[in-house]
Amino acid sequence: MALPPPDPQFVLRGTGAAVHTLHFSCGGPEPDIPLLFSGSENGFIHVWNLKTHRVDSALDGHGRKSVYCVETMGGKDRLLSQGRDQRICLWDLAEGRTSVTDSVFTEHVGFCRCSLLEVAQGRWLMAMAARSLEEVQILELPSKTSVCTLKPEVGAKLGMPMCLKLWQLNCGSQPVLLAGYEDGSVVLWNVSMGKVLSKLVCHQEPVMSLDFDSEKAKGISGSSEKVLSIWSLNEQQNLQVYKTHELVNAGISDITIRPDKKILATAGWDHRIRIFGWKKLKPLAVLDYHTATVHCVSFSDHSKPRERLLAAGSRDQRISVWSIYAQT
Amino acid sequence: MAVFDTPQAAFGALRPACVQLTRVQTVENVRQLQAHLAGVSGAALQELQEYVLFPLRFALRVPGPKQERLVQSLVQCISSVLAATCVKKQELLQELFSELCTCLAPPPSSGKAAPLSEELKLAVIQALHTLMHSAYGDVILSLYQPSTLPLLGFAVSLLLTLAEQEKAKQIKISALECLQVLVLQCDCQEHWHLDEDEAQQCGDLFASFLPGISITLSRVIAGDIKQGHKTTVSAIRLFYLIVGLVMSDKQLARIPKNKEKLPVEHSRISELMIHRGPDWTKSTAEKLSLLLHKVVESSSVHPHWKVRLELVELVHHLLSNCSQSLVDSFSHLLKALVGLVNDENSEVQSRCNKVLQGIAEQRIVAQNRALADVLSENLHSLATALPRLMNSQDDMGKVSTLSLLLGYLKLLGSKINIVLNSVSHLQRLSKALVQVLELDVTDVKIVEARRSGPPCPLQQGVQKGRYQKKYFRFFTEEKVFQLLQQVCRVLGYYGNLYLLVDHFMGLYNESGLYRKQAAMILNELVTGAAGVGVDFLQEREVPLNMNDLKGSITSILDEYMDQANWYLVTSIDTEESSPEQSVQQGLAVRAGGSSSSVLLLSPEPPATTRTMNSNIWQICIQLEGVGCFAAVLGKEFQLLLLSALYPVLEKAGDRTLLISETALGTLADICEACGYNSVQCLINENSDYLVNGISLNLRHLEYQPRASQVLDTMLRHSDASLLPLVEDVIQDVLSALDQSYNSQASTFLRVLHSVMTALVQWFGMSSTEEHRQRQADKGQSRPRSWGQQEVTITSQELERFFLDYVSQKQIAEGDLPDLEEEEADEVPLAKPEPNSDTEGEAPMPIHAQLAKDVMERCIHLLSDGSLRVRLKVLDVLELCVTVLHPHGNHLLPMAHRVWPALVTRLISDDPLAVLRAFKVLCTLAQTCGDFLRQRVSKDVLPKLTSSLLSQAPVSARAGPVYSHTLAFKLQLAVLQGLGSLCERLDMVFSCT
């Protein structure tokens, strides 16, 4: 008999609203305190101290509108956050400051999280859904200069972009964007040429989330249906369906592959977090704690593998933190 | 008598007497001279010294037998001359010295000491004493030349014989003092100070006498107690002075490799001279070691404290002068010293402590490898014997053994680690400690003592740092425990913390037998490591690394709070948990359901009182440990609260008195350490941690009782500010309850009860005030409706009155709608409650929402099979009603839903339940008022009246016992409550 699923290692309470996004910053050397950033529906970004399990500070920069994406840029001192006030804010958190240094007005009304890729020291590319419905815009940060705008062909009817993933095979190579669209298709864009490389219809419903493993050239996407779709990218830069996985309950709001590419976690509308082996998509565990839809899952970047954590944020206003390295 | 100041005048005065004495040597003449001497000033006599001495010496030298009295008076006279003058000539000194010695010498014919009178001996000794004091510094040195060695030896042996064999104390003491002067170690200050070379030379000379002196002295010291302590004290002093001089490390270091060649004329003497080379040093040290052992043994138990004090001085002197040459003896010496730390005499104690302090401060041990070896050797042998000693000795014996152990540890200081690094040493030591610290676990009371009722607010009755008094199997004396504590702390202070913690953790895990002791030791180790309450002699070399300490504490805490060590069977609780629950638990265990629950109950069948007592103690010790750690870490402990607070709070709610008290003490410690003003503060500030623990534990059936206990404690010691967090976890409780109505109902009901009690407490004030206001409103409105003369009646009121009237009328006419219909039209009735119109719009406050949710569960549980559960539910229900009271338009629908189940309780249940249900009804009536009128009169009143009717004759006839019956109580309650109930419900109307 399999072991009963574990309990969360601890649960963070006190966001006061549904949690939409989580991001760890734990990679720092010893004196640095491991942090978890959470963005919640009431527009606050909470900075959780993972030693005391308490909020160190709460950042208010999106006019009390839901924050649905938080990323660090480089260290834990620079933060990027995206909110429903249609702004992407850049924060300076060094030495206890909590100020917005810069912001980008996206004019996008959807929920598409932006995607960040560091292309050089202190230089990032950011993909974000743009004002017109189907477009994705690539900006260079921190200069905010527009690199290109990815516009689907006329008549493609992809709908709005739902999720984005910028990546490059290795440092210096061409950055590539994977975008999941409202019509259920995943499109591979060549960023520098602004061209569609490949398009694959994975789902009948909008793609809610996707993640991609550039080593194995395989990606996974989830939608509001009961199906997880795994697709691969072949040498000719063509996306192919590799496998699908049927779920018990419909609706996946977030998918994350663990940085070591061994397992992945999904955030389900059925209040559950599911853990799969990435290689064969073998179901490993169902983590049942939340009492409402789970909105996001995130793996920590601790330098010691044993300390690494999984966090999930849910509409029930709690963030559950799990230690699953020890078990797997 | 005239005083002669000038030499001339003095000469004139003394001459006749001197001449007379030279001619005829009689006692009378000597006395004459002495009488004249008294009148001569010191300066004058100095001039005439030799002149005066001549007749005296002449008289002594006259060949042939002499009268003893004459000799004595001569010697006394010489002595008085010498006392007033100085000897400035070497020859004079030597001659006088030898002449005086000769007086004591046996006549050459007989081999034995002459049977001289004691007075004479005393006189000679004193004269020698005076002589030594009257000689000038450089003059006296002439006596200490290799050439005078035989003379000195003669004097020494004479004096020793006297000291040993005489009966008279006075002589013994004088002889010893004289010897002390002779070896240039006089106590008085006016002596010529020897420079290094001179001292070296004297040391060489005295080396020849060392064997004789030391052997004789050791015999004197070990001699009959009747000789008086003064003799022994002087003997000990002389012993250590001479040994300290001859064996002085400083002198020995300067000894050349080869013996110096003396001039030829001294060849015989040079045979007598001793070369203090390494070989000699070694063999002498060996012999001295034996003697010292003897000395220490006899004097350390000497009844007179001055002797013991002198022994301390001996150790001190030898340790500071001969720490290298006499290293082999130190095992005895230190043992004596350390043992005397706890002498009954305070002076000995304090001196001893000072000496130890001095030793430690001068780092004699730290710098002397050999000494450290000796000490660790001692320690090892003591540790080896310790278990046996602890078993066999009485408390006093244990005190001395343990103070010895403590002394060794303190002396070793940071060198302790050498000992600890040896596995066998550490093992011995720890085994001994563990064995001694075994607790007495036979007391049944500890298992029996229960917390009675809810504990009073935590702040009261909790005193910080007051640990539970423990009872040990092998000793009762508190002092023994204190010593053991100190031993552990000193170990922690100097020792390698990681090593020690690791070792004792090993013991902790090795066997249940050791667990309590090991935990106790660990607590003390950590305390000691932090330097709290340690009585040390020297600062440790390496200051404490806070991170190490924190690391150790974290690992100990983890171990303490591990499932298997924290959750032990401490009671066979039949009283609280309902029988079916315990059966179920038992089943779960037998079925091997969940792996962890097996750990909770020991595999052995029923736990005996003994094991439960032992478990209780273990938990207490661990709790005390947590308190210690908090105290040690101070604010740093805050980080550990995350994992530690929940378990401690859990224990604070334990039903065993001892455990809950200890846990409260621990909480107080934590408060103090982390800077919280009160336990309430602590709980409030860290409620997030607690809620986390509770919520996680609620997910497991077997932990639920404990989680609810914590919630219980938390609620009891907190205030309304906690509500948002509590709300979160109560939802968890409710959902947990929803999943296990059957098994855990009683557990959760307790929590719900405390939740509702807390809510009533936090929000009750406002509600009662409102209530009063409402009553007042009613009071105002009633006369209006009664009288109807007032013109200010609103149309709404009029309408309501009319509707009421119609319905009452119907009832009065016996036109009772059946239940379903009634429910159907009750609901719209509830809606237009004018009072709460505004509240209906606003979102419900959290506490009201909670009360509503809880009430909802109560509805289901009201018809539970177990009476106990039903009673509890009724209690909770009453509280819910009180909390919901200000929120009428939520309460009324709920009341409506509760009604059928409540009625069943009122009508057909156990009398106990009826009693409670009636109370609930009264409360409900207070708040719902006329909403219930119809129902009460229809459903409840008939039954109540009939029961009252049937009970009336019974009670009328009943005897005094009746007032103790349930029936009586019920009857009384109904009779008391019915009146106000009817009034509240405006029953008057329906009856008219």
Side-chain angles (χ1 to χ4, degrees):
Chain A
M1 203 184 104
L3 284 170
D7 280 336
Q9 197 184 53
F10 51 86
V11 177
L12 304 173
R13 293 175 170 78
T15 54
V19 181
H20 282 287
T21 180
L22 292 169
H23 185 82
F24 279 100
S25 174
C26 310
E30 191 39 63
D32 276 11
I33 295 158
L35 297 177
L36 172 67
F37 298 95
S38 76
S40 50
E41 195 154 285
N42 55 8
F44 280 98
I45 299 162
H46 291 97
V47 185
W48 297 90
N49 177 332
L50 290 181
K51 278 229 165 96
T52 60
H53 299 179
R54 289 189 173 146
V55 176
D56 267 358
S57 53
L59 315 174
D60 179 15
H62 289 279
R64 307 293 156 97
K65 297 273 178 54
S66 177
V67 176
Y68 59 88
C69 181
V70 174
E71 293 273 351
T72 50
M73 299 171 73
K76 64 190 169 81
D77 293 338
R78 293 186 75 191
L79 191 72
L80 175 147
S81 69
Q82 185 175 20
R84 290 279 284 155
D85 60 348
Q86 306 183 15
R87 287 202 313 155
I88 291 176
C89 295
L90 301 180
W91 298 81
D92 176 15
L93 303 181
E95 291 157 1
R97 288 189 289 266
T98 53
S99 52
V100 177
T101 51
D102 206 347
S103 70
V104 180
F105 190 53
T106 61
E107 300 177 68
H108 175 71
V109 290
F111 294 90
C112 180
R113 290 175 185 157
C114 62
S115 175
L116 206 58
L117 177 71
E118 183 165 19
V119 284
Q121 181 71 34
R123 212 165 63 85
W124 287 269
L125 282 185
M126 179 181 74
M128 62 177 200
R131 187 170 66 138
S132 56
L133 276 186
E134 300 189 339
E135 280 176 19
V136 175
Q137 199 174 15
I138 312 277
L139 291 185
E140 192 185 289
L141 291 179
S143 61
K144 296 204 287 179
T145 47
S146 174
V147 175
C148 64
T149 306
L150 307 177
K151 232 179 279 184
E153 292 165 42
V154 185
K157 293 218 168 144
L158 293 172
M160 276 199 286
M162 300 298 290
C163 48
L164 304 169
K165 170 87 180 171
L166 258 184
W167 59 276
Q168 58 189 153
L169 196 56
N170 45 44
C171 207
S173 64
Q174 290 291 338
V176 187
L177 176 75
L178 275 165
Y181 285 88
E182 206 176 349
D183 72 339
S185 57
V186 173
V187 174
L188 183 71
W189 291 90
N190 181 324
V191 171
S192 44
M193 295 191 289
K195 255 180 29 188
V196 174
L197 291 174
S198 173
K199 179 186 161 198
L200 178 71
V201 179
C202 308
H203 301 277
Q204 305 304 310
E205 300 287 330
V207 181
M208 299 304 291
S209 177
L210 64 81
D211 202 355
F212 185 75
D213 168 11
S214 53
E215 286 167 26
K216 295 196 181 72
K218 260 189 344 179
I220 182 163
S221 59
S223 74
S224 50
E225 325 157 286
K226 282 187 183 182
V227 173
L228 286 178
S229 176
I230 299 101
W231 24 266
S232 62
L233 186 66
N234 65 9
E235 247 102 90
Q236 288 78 43
Q237 304 279 300
N238 274 326
L239 290 170
Q240 292 167 325
V241 174
Y242 174 76
K243 191 179 170 185
T244 56
H245 184 86
E246 194 87 3
L247 294 169
V248 185
N249 296 314
I252 292 295
S253 46
D254 198 9
I255 291 184
T256 309
I257 301 173
R258 198 165 69 179
D260 66 1
K261 321 283 188 209
K262 287 205 172 117
I263 59 174
L264 69 96
T266 66
W269 293 1
D270 60 350
H271 313 175
R272 288 179 186 150
I273 306 151
R274 290 186 159 75
I275 309 288
F276 296 95
W278 174 223
K279 208 169 167 188
K280 293 179 183 161
L281 222 66
K282 180 181 163 199
L284 297 176
V286 177
L287 306 179
D288 190 9
Y289 175 80
H290 288 285
T291 53
T293 304
V294 184
H295 283 147
C296 49
V297 283
S298 173
F299 285 102
S300 82
D301 53 348
H302 281 95
S303 46
K304 288 186 200 145
R306 290 201 63 86
E307 291 174 359
R308 284 179 201 162
L309 300 167
L310 163 71
S314 155
R315 211 164 67 87
D316 64 7
Q317 311 188 358
R318 301 177 190 177
I319 302 166
S320 56
V321 180
W322 310 74
S323 167
I324 50 174
Y325 268 77
Q327 270 89 26
T328 51
Chain B
M1 194 186 274
V3 174
F4 306 98
D5 280 335
T6 57
Q8 287 78 19
F11 182 72
L14 292 173
R15 212 179 90 93
C18 287
V19 173
Q20 182 61 29
L21 181 60
T22 320
R23 283 198 198 120
V24 188
Q25 291 92 25
T26 61
V27 177
E28 190 53 38
N29 286 342
V30 177
R31 206 165 282 159
Q32 282 256 307
L33 179 58
Q34 187 138 22
H36 282 106
L37 280 177
V40 177
S41 75
L45 189 57
Q46 180 69 52
E47 295 285 312
L48 300 171
Q49 186 196 40
E50 285 195 57
Y51 178 78
V52 177
L53 283 177
F54 174 76
L56 296 167
R57 290 171 56 196
F58 177 75
L60 276 181
R61 266 186 300 193
V62 170
K66 279 175 297 262
Q67 227 185 332
E68 244 182 53
R69 281 187 50 228
L70 175 65
V71 177
Q72 185 191 340
S73 57
L74 283 171
V75 170
Q76 274 167 348
C77 196
I78 291 176
S79 177
S80 58
V81 172
L82 289 176
T85 59
C86 291
V87 178
K88 292 181 176 171
K89 286 192 185 148
Q90 300 183 357
E91 298 77 32
L92 180 63
L93 174 68
Q94 289 191 12
E95 282 166 26
L96 271 174
F97 189 83
S98 69
E99 281 159 15
L100 284 173
C101 288
T102 327
C103 293
L104 284 178
S109 52
S110 69
K112 277 172 67 182
L116 298 170
S117 75
E118 294 188 337
E119 287 79 11
L120 176 60
K121 289 175 193 165
L122 198 58
V124 175
I125 294 169
Q126 270 158 2
L128 271 174
H129 197 266
T130 322
L131 176 66
M132 294 305 291
H133 276 89
S134 68
Y136 268 165
D138 50 346
V139 175
I140 209 162
L141 269 183
S142 69
L143 201 54
Y144 298 92
Q145 299 297 331
S147 54
T148 52
L149 193 62
L151 181 58
L152 274 177
F154 179 56
V156 166
S157 75
L158 272 179
L159 288 169
L160 279 175
T161 320
L162 287 176
E164 191 188 355
Q165 288 171 357
E166 278 306 315
K167 293 276 183 296
K169 282 183 198 174
Q170 187 68 37
I171 297 180
K172 278 177 174 264
I173 295 168
S174 307
L176 288 168
E177 275 169 4
C178 189
L179 259 175
Q180 200 176 327
V181 182
L182 202 57
V183 296
L184 300 173
Q185 299 289 333
C186 187
D187 292 332
C188 52
Q189 298 299 313
E190 46 203 82
H191 284 283
W192 176 261
H193 193 76
L194 299 179
D195 66 25
E196 251 182 50
D197 287 323
E198 289 160 351
Q200 180 93 18
Q201 203 181 345
C202 292
D204 281 336
L205 282 180
F206 298 150
S208 314
F209 314 142
L210 187 64
I213 295 184
S214 55
I215 292 173
T216 316
L217 285 179
S218 70
R219 277 204 293 266
V220 173
I221 293 167
D224 193 354
I225 296 174
K226 275 182 236 150
Q227 69 187 346
H229 72 270
K230 275 198 182 153
T231 319
T232 320
V233 168
S234 320
I236 294 178
R237 182 171 309 148
L238 182 57
F239 186 95
Y240 70 70
L241 287 174
I242 186 86
V243 172
L245 179 71
V246 176
M247 301 297 285
S248 155
D249 289 336
K250 254 190 254 162
Q251 291 195 14
L252 290 176
R254 296 175 65 218
I255 298 287
K257 273 252 165 73
N258 295 312
K259 196 170 174 175
E260 280 174 64
K261 283 272 187 287
L262 282 169
V264 185
E265 65 265 32
H266 293 312
S267 61
R268 277 200 54 210
I269 289 169
S270 96
E271 279 171 26
L272 291 176
M273 286 291 289
I274 280 175
H275 176 68
R276 290 187 282 170
D279 294 338
W280 177 85
T281 310
K282 208 174 147 223
S283 69
T284 311
E286 268 169 30
K287 287 165 198 154
L288 276 175
S289 164
L290 291 175
L291 292 176
L292 275 169
H293 185 45
K294 202 164 130 194
V295 167
V296 164
E297 228 167 43
S298 64
S299 50
S300 62
V301 292
H302 199 278
H304 202 284
W305 64 270
K306 280 200 173 155
V307 174
R308 301 196 298 269
L309 187 62
E310 206 57 42
L311 179 64
V312 175
E313 297 297 343
L314 173 131
V315 178
H316 176 56
H317 189 86
L318 293 186
L319 258 182
S320 40
N321 287 313
C322 322
S323 59
Q324 277 157 29
S325 55
L326 290 181
V327 77
D328 297 329
S329 313
F330 282 125
S331 106
H332 308 302
L333 295 180
L334 288 174
K335 188 172 169 186
L337 186 62
V338 169
L340 285 174
V341 169
N342 289 300
D343 196 84
E344 58 203 19
N345 184 290
S346 62
E347 219 163 303
V348 178
Q349 261 187 36
S350 67
R351 177 66 193 149
C352 207
N353 271 322
K354 218 178 261 167
V355 169
L356 282 173
Q357 190 98 41
I359 293 173
E361 264 164 19
Q362 291 160 26
R363 305 206 165 274
I364 293 176
V365 176
Q367 285 161 5
N368 191 335
R369 183 69 204 275
L371 210 50
D373 284 348
V374 169
L375 274 174
S376 43
E377 200 57 42
N378 275 12
L379 188 59
H380 184 240
S381 56
L382 181 61
T384 314
L386 203 53
R388 181 176 52 78
L389 290 175
M390 289 297 117
N391 266 337
S392 54
Q393 280 177 322
D394 61 353
D395 279 4
M396 282 319 292
K398 279 175 190 141
V399 168
S400 62
T401 312
L402 287 172
S403 33
L404 195 59
L405 175 66
L406 183 58
Y408 286 153
L409 293 177
K410 282 184 183 172
L411 270 183
L412 271 170
S414 298
K415 294 260 177 184
I416 268 183
N417 283 319
I418 303 174
V419 185
L420 297 182
N421 280 335
S422 137
V423 180
S424 74
H425 279 65
L426 183 56
Q427 215 138 32
R428 293 271 181 198
L429 194 60
S430 60
K431 276 275 157 63
L433 286 176
V434 164
Q435 193 183 342
V436 187
L437 279 169
E438 188 173 336
L439 283 170
D440 181 19
V441 289
T442 48
D443 193 0
V444 184
K445 265 187 241 140
I446 283 169
V447 184
E448 273 176 348
R450 294 280 135 158
R451 210 183 62 201
S452 52
C456 47
L458 288 177
Q459 290 75 14
Q460 295 159 13
V462 175
Q463 276 163 324
K464 185 204 81 81
R466 255 199 51 197
Y467 293 133
Q468 305 294 343
K469 173 139 179 48
K470 302 179 186 69
Y471 299 92
F472 296 93
R473 232 183 103 186
F474 293 114
F475 61 91
T476 49
E477 189 79 25
E478 185 64 22
K479 178 95 183 139
V480 179
F481 180 58
Q482 284 166 4
L483 277 171
L484 285 166
Q485 243 177 346
Q486 275 300 320
V487 166
C488 297
R489 288 187 188 167
V490 168
L491 272 177
Y493 185 75
Y494 292 117
N496 177 343
L497 192 59
Y498 275 124
L499 176 75
L500 285 167
V501 166
D502 191 62
H503 179 79
F504 284 101
M505 282 299 238
L507 278 179
Y508 179 90
N509 285 323
E510 193 177 305
S511 151
L513 280 178
Y514 301 148
R515 196 157 295 151
K516 293 185 291 298
Q517 298 92 305
M520 234 184 296
I521 294 170
L522 280 169
N523 296 348
E524 297 299 338
L525 280 179
V526 170
T527 313
V532 180
V534 196
D535 193 12
F536 49 83
L537 291 170
Q538 70 202 82
E539 290 276 332
R540 52 188 150 196
E541 282 157 8
V542 195
L544 173 76
N545 182 342
M546 208 57 188
N547 279 337
D548 286 357
L549 185 65
K550 229 165 41 182
S552 299
I553 286 180
T554 313
S555 65
I556 299 176
L557 265 186
D558 280 351
E559 200 62 43
Y560 278 2
M561 295 189 169
D562 187 78
Q563 294 273 344
N565 300 324
W566 195 253
Y567 301 111
L568 303 163
V569 184
T570 56
S571 64
I572 316 168
D573 227 337
T574 46
E575 164 206 352
E576 180 58 21
S577 59
S578 54
E580 63 261 31
Q581 188 188 332
S582 55
V583 166
Q584 261 194 353
Q585 255 180 4
L587 281 176
V589 172
R590 238 159 280 152
S594 122
S595 53
S596 47
S597 72
V598 180
L599 286 174
L600 302 185
L601 297 177
S602 48
E604 305 95 65
T608 63
T609 320
R610 219 189 167 78
T611 55
M612 286 194 290
N613 182 319
S614 153
N615 288 345
I616 289 172
W617 274 119
Q618 191 189 325
I619 292 170
C620 287
I621 291 167
Q622 286 168 178
L623 278 167
E624 285 174 2
V626 178
C628 278
F629 302 157
V632 161
L633 284 183
K635 291 246 186 258
E636 296 265 355
F637 193 73
Q638 205 117 34
L639 280 179
L640 295 175
L641 280 182
L642 182 58
S643 54
L645 187 57
Y646 176 84
V648 173
L649 213 56
E650 203 173 79
K651 292 299 173 197
D654 200 280
R655 303 194 58 78
T656 308
L657 185 68
L658 196 68
I659 294 180
S660 75
E661 269 183 0
T662 313
L664 292 183
T666 305
L667 283 176
D669 283 346
I670 294 176
C671 281
E672 167 147 338
C674 300
Y676 295 108
N677 291 327
S678 62
V679 175
Q680 183 175 338
C681 231
L682 171 75
I683 293 178
N684 276 350
E685 303 265 310
N686 296 292
S687 47
D688 48 347
Y689 294 166
L690 291 172
V691 164
N692 186 44
I694 295 168
S695 143
L696 293 183
N697 276 293
L698 276 176
R699 287 160 51 81
H700 299 280
L701 200 64
E702 67 271 19
Y703 305 152
Q704 280 172 356
R706 297 194 316 244
S708 59
Q709 223 166 38
V710 177
L711 184 56
D712 205 42
T713 321
M714 189 172 139
L715 287 168
R716 210 172 280 147
H717 303 296
S718 195
D719 57 31
S721 60
L722 201 63
L723 192 66
L725 274 169
V726 170
E727 194 257 333
D728 186 282
V729 78
I730 296 204
Q731 293 300 342
D732 284 344
V733 171
L734 292 178
S735 62
L737 176 65
D738 288 345
Q739 285 176 5
S740 55
Y741 267 114
N742 301 324
S743 53
Q744 300 286 341
S746 71
T747 316
F748 285 125
L749 273 172
R750 206 171 64 223
V751 182
L752 294 183
H753 189 263
S754 45
V755 169
M756 295 320 297
T757 317
L759 289 182
V760 169
Q761 221 173 44
W762 298 341
F763 303 97
M765 276 314 282
S766 61
S767 80
T768 45
E769 265 164 30
E770 237 172 279
H771 177 72
R772 220 171 289 135
Q773 201 183 340
R774 221 166 114 136
Q775 291 294 87
D777 287 348
K778 269 195 176 170
Q780 276 172 5
S781 67
R782 195 181 291 156
R784 269 183 245 148
S785 42
W786 268 104
Q788 294 183 7
Q789 314 101 322
E790 245 117 316
V791 277
T792 49
I793 298 169
T794 62
S795 59
Q796 232 181 359
E797 274 182 292
L798 192 65
E799 183 191 359
R800 191 151 65 101
F801 175 70
F802 186 69
L803 281 174
D804 279 356
Y805 181 74
V806 170
S807 66
Q808 297 303 326
K809 189 90 177 165
Q810 278 178 342
I811 296 164
E813 285 163 6
D815 181 18
L816 294 170
D818 59 35
L819 205 68
E820 283 83 20
E821 270 182 34
E822 184 192 277
E823 270 174 21
D825 56 39
E826 280 299 345
V827 179
L829 235 177
K831 267 184 194 162
E833 179 82 8
N835 268 17
S836 43
D837 258 355
T838 45
E839 284 168 25
E841 303 297 322
M844 230 169 142
I846 300 174
H847 64 271
Q849 183 62 46
L850 274 178
K852 197 179 160 198
D853 290 343
V854 172
M855 202 158 163
E856 194 125 12
R857 270 62 179 197
C858 288
I859 297 171
H860 303 295
L861 286 168
L862 262 179
S863 47
D864 192 273
S866 144
L867 174 64
R868 198 190 289 274
V869 171
R870 291 201 301 272
L871 292 178
K872 203 97 200 198
V873 174
L874 286 167
D875 283 348
V876 176
L877 192 61
E878 192 181 342
L879 291 168
C880 289
V881 171
T882 318
V883 174
L884 268 180
H885 167 242
H887 310 276
N889 50 350
H890 293 285
L891 175 61
L892 296 188
M894 287 313 290
H896 168 73
R897 289 179 53 198
V898 167
W899 188 252
L902 187 63
V903 167
T904 324
R905 298 286 78 73
L906 273 168
I907 292 174
S908 52
D909 202 341
D910 190 278
L912 267 175
V914 176
L915 192 62
R916 296 268 176 106
F918 187 72
K919 265 175 70 191
V920 177
L921 179 66
C922 289
T923 319
L924 204 56
Q926 226 171 45
T927 49
C928 298
D930 42 16
F931 176 71
L932 287 178
R933 185 191 305 141
Q934 233 175 16
R935 298 162 186 251
V936 171
S937 60
K938 185 181 73 105
D939 299 336
V940 185
L941 276 183
K943 167 73 180 167
L944 282 183
T945 32
S946 76
S947 82
L948 279 178
L949 279 175
S950 68
Q951 204 59 34
V954 179
S955 62
R957 270 179 275 120
V961 191
Y962 180 66
S963 64
H964 294 286
T965 61
L966 202 55
F968 165 77
K969 282 175 189 153
L970 183 59
Q971 193 184 14
L972 185 66
V974 171
L975 285 172
Q976 278 173 342
L978 203 55
S980 58
L981 178 72
C982 291
E983 193 195 355
R984 294 239 167 76
L985 300 182
D986 282 347
M987 216 48 118
V988 195
F989 268 107
S990 58
C991 296
T992 46

